[in-house]
């Protein structure tokens, strides 16, 4: 194989073998800077969610730009971040069961680790483990702000759990977490704003109760990419936990254009069975479809209308014969997080040339 | 962490940390034996599709039971199989572009490798590479039997491509491939049979043309799990390429009960925000939903009705409080192949105890 085909720095993006997840690092860095600048101007901490990129490489770029720490969904994601040199991680899920709590203690001994809680029995389990390990673990009480998934209700349920956390040996009660995930992708900006405000009313009511009980709420963390400039504009919010803003995706681009799409999946035409049909070498194993079919970039009128495991069918309306078999086609996934989770590497490009290959280190880390 | 929590052989399945992909090896082996026995009785080769399991471990069990070789979707899947000791692999997709064709030649030098073609320019590219490498590569012409994805039409298009393959230096024309993927999951058995028959009429018409041109059709490969006993019962078919039969899934269990479900994803209840709601630690990153929400095993009336990236919401109708936070819940994915592709390891169990942890070696291999 001639050297011009090897995925070395300088290779033209369109010569990268496919399917490949391409990141335009210029766009990603601009997104990182833009959120940081906005939050700096609003005296707000940025704690980006690593569930999107699953990679210390991107975490460090966010930290260098000014982030106060990272969020992670799972203990295993936090392990990858902390092993990769990140020193402050908030796990936004409840960590249940002895094996995971033991792993959490291993992390708490060498980084500032905070975890979400929504039950007293879990607080007791975490406290006992922290005491046994001589560790200090931060906890935030997750408040159900309307997503109706995990979290306590505002009022006595939240306040009593905060009290329990504050009193528990080995734990450090940091404050409250509320994620308005049910409204972050609402298309209408007015509705999205109203939804975020209603959600934050619940979070602030919960915080009122906790503060009335004499407990300090040092952390009030909320917001996703779609609500960073609504939720983040509220004075009481201390930090935002946006994830998708770094790369965006087809779905979020329908919500807002505050950030630029930085990711695409490069594919190859492998068959042209009919003048209006091209078959691509991407399928459900290389591009997610939980938010719909990917958008075709750069070919007006072309649409992906079917994805099987390893094939995509693309309708072509422009001049017959193009794109030809062997030509590359770039696709914008509708959902970045679930697409990234399918891949092993980022092919990081700058100005159309490959710059580096970065492993998606926390791929498959869902324990 | 006490030794009783370590994932060592003998650990009870319900003590494995979650999310975890569990395989009941007894059920999987029975499925392997059952398909093999049926095909032996019908004088038919079994060439299981490795796109389901992505693992030499399972490939070798299929070969030991009597399979003639494996199928793979991609060059990278074939690499993992051949590196793992499999000596005969048919790639059921078109392999396009110099980098992949060069990798194919690396494989052809050390295993019997066959690849599907549907265009003359691709045949020429493969032939030139085979000659340059002194390799012999088998080719089968893929016939479009109604799936309308890749493949040639029966008649002159197929015959002329077969002639080109037969004449091409370095290539060995083996026969025809036709996959009736558009009917394998049709629920009604009569409709499924009629669909498979119509598809095979097209494959046989294509074979008639090729044979009339004086070319031998040694391989006529077709069938998926849902049509093994229809397509496979036809005299001219030489081998079947079923994949899902080894583990089955929720979708295929609605098609037939010839094989037993052997896979499940074990999860943990992490929150119980309401008497009728349990939140599980599985989401779209650990269980696929391209064929619908997973089915809950062992809890009558319980249903998963929402999956976000790392959480599943399960409605519970039985007595309040059960399952409790910390309890394990086993789920049957609706689509095995795309769920397996999300995981790193198989937790292989026998009679309810962990027997071994097997890596999903071809995970992420879609190039």
């Amino acid at each position: 194989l001639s050297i011009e085909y090897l995925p070395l720095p300088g290779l033209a993006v369109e010569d990268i073998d496919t399917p490949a997840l391409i990141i335009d690092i210029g766009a990603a860095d601009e997104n990182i800077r833009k959120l940081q600048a906005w939050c700096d101007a609003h005296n707000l901490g940025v704690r980006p969610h690593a569930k999107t990129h699953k990679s210390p490489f991107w975490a460090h770029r966010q930290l260098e730009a000014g982030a106060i720490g990272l969020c992670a969904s799972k203990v295993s994601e936090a392990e990858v971040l902390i092993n990769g040199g990140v020193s402050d991680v908030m796990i936004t899920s409840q960590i249940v069961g002895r094996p995971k709590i033991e792993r959490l203690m291993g992390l708490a001994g060498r980084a500032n680790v905070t975890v979400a809680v929504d039950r007293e029995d879990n607080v007791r389990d975490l406290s006992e483990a922290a005491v046994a390990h001589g560790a200090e673990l931060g906890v935030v009480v997750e408040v159900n702000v309307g997503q109706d998934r995990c979290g306590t209700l505002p009022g006595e349920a939240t306040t009593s759990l905060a009290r329990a956390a504050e009193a528990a040996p080995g734990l450090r009660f940091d404050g409250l977490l509320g994620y308005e995930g049910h409204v972050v992708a609402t298309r209408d900006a007015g509705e999205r704003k109203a939804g975020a405000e209603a959600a934050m009313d619940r979070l602030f009511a919960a915080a009122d109760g906790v503060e009335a009980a004499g407990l300090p709420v040092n952390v009030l963390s909320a917001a996703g990419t779609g609500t960073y400039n609504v939720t983040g504009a509220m004075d009481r919010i201390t930090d935002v936990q946006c994830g998708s803003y770094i790369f965006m995706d087809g779905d979020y681009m329908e919500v807002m254009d505050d950030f630029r799409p930085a990711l695409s999946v490069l594919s190859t035409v492998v068959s042209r069975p009919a003048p209006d049909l091209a078959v691509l070498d991407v399928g459900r194993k290389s591009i997610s479809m939980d938010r719909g079919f990917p958008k075709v970039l750069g070919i007006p009128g072309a649409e992906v209308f079917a994805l099987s495991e390893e094939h995509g069918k693309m309708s072509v309306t422009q001049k017959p014969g193009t794109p030809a078999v062997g030509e590359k086609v770039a696709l914008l996934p509708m959902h970045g997080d679930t697409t990234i989770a399918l891949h092993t590497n980022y092919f990081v490009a700058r100005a159309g040339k490959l710059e580096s290959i970065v492993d998606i280190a926390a791929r498959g880390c869902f324990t």
Side-chain angles (χ1 to χ4, degrees), chain A:
Chain A
L1 186 58
S2 339
I3 195 165
E4 72 261 26
Y5 285 99
L6 295 179
L8 298 173
L11 186 71
V13 164
E14 61 270 22
D15 288 335
I16 296 172
D17 202 13
T18 65
L21 179 63
I22 313 289
I23 303 288
D24 177 343
I25 193 170
D29 280 346
E30 190 182 313
N31 293 340
I32 291 172
R33 279 194 303 269
K34 190 166 180 187
L35 181 68
Q36 188 67 51
W38 192 92
C39 291
D40 286 349
H42 289 77
N43 197 24
L44 193 64
V46 181
R47 186 183 282 282
H49 214 307
K51 75 185 179 71
T52 296
H53 56 61
K54 286 180 163 284
S55 152
F57 175 89
W58 297 108
H60 284 297
R61 295 183 91 84
Q62 293 168 320
L63 290 167
E64 283 156 21
I68 59 172
L70 271 290
C71 289
S73 287
K74 298 288 183 110
V75 174
S76 52
E77 262 180 24
E79 286 169 341
V80 170
L81 291 173
I82 291 168
N83 293 345
V86 176
S87 59
D88 193 310
V89 177
M90 175 190 288
I91 301 175
T92 57
S93 306
Q94 286 67 36
I95 301 306
V96 170
R98 262 199 72 193
K100 288 195 186 77
I101 290 175
E102 295 284 320
R103 287 161 64 190
L104 197 55
M105 294 306 144
L107 296 177
R110 55 201 174 89
N112 182 33
V113 178
T114 309
V115 64
V117 296
D118 70 355
R119 292 172 64 88
E120 284 206 34
D121 51 6
N122 188 224
V123 165
R124 192 186 58 234
D125 290 346
L126 293 169
S127 170
E128 284 175 8
V131 168
H133 286 76
E136 182 188 72
L137 181 71
V139 296
V140 285
V141 173
E142 179 174 359
V143 178
N144 175 3
V145 296
Q147 194 179 24
D148 292 338
R149 197 170 65 185
C150 301
T152 56
L153 293 177
E156 187 47 34
T158 299
T159 303
S160 68
L161 188 58
R163 267 199 212 96
E166 171 76 12
L171 304 188
R172 183 189 71 234
F173 171 68
D174 281 346
L176 306 182
L177 171 78
Y179 177 53
E180 67 277 29
H182 55 301
V183 299
V184 293
T186 299
R187 298 304 195 249
D188 181 81
E191 269 181 59
R192 193 164 70 248
K193 182 167 187 285
E197 286 167 349
M200 292 308 111
D201 282 348
R202 294 173 64 149
L203 187 62
F204 299 149
D208 289 343
V210 174
E211 287 175 343
L215 303 177
V217 178
N218 296 319
V219 172
L220 256 187
S221 180
T225 294
T227 54
Y228 83 96
N229 55 354
V230 178
T231 301
M234 299 176 191
D235 278 347
R236 292 179 77 175
I237 296 297
T238 60
D239 51 80
V240 297
Q241 58 207 32
C242 313
S244 298
Y245 79 101
I246 183 171
F247 304 140
M248 297 297 282
D249 56 27
D251 194 63
Y252 256 127
M253 288 308 296
E254 292 180 5
V255 175
M256 55 163 49
D257 58 4
D258 296 36
F259 304 103
R260 286 167 56 195
L263 88 173
S264 59
V265 174
L266 193 68
S267 68
T268 299
V269 177
V270 293
S271 190
R272 284 291 258 123
D276 60 352
L277 177 63
V279 181
L280 306 175
D281 65 347
V282 291
R284 298 176 189 196
K285 287 179 178 168
S286 48
I287 199 159
S288 69
M289 51 171 278
D290 58 318
R291 295 196 177 151
F293 292 122
K295 293 189 191 303
V296 180
L297 299 173
I299 307 179
E303 283 185 7
V304 172
F305 65 94
L307 278 183
S308 48
E309 287 174 41
E310 299 286 11
H311 296 84
K313 290 189 195 178
M314 179 174 77
S315 65
V316 181
T317 55
Q318 65 174 37
K319 63 179 197 282
T322 61
V325 166
E327 282 186 37
K328 303 288 172 66
V329 176
L331 303 174
L332 176 65
M334 286 302 284
H335 195 180
D337 294 21
T338 51
T339 294
I340 292 164
L342 297 170
H343 285 253
T344 305
N345 292 304
Y346 291 110
F347 290 82
V348 177
R350 190 185 297 276
K353 304 270 188 203
L354 182 63
E355 181 169 287
S356 58
I357 299 177
V358 172
D359 71 316
I360 301 171
R363 185 195 178 198
C365 291
F366 40 62
T367 61

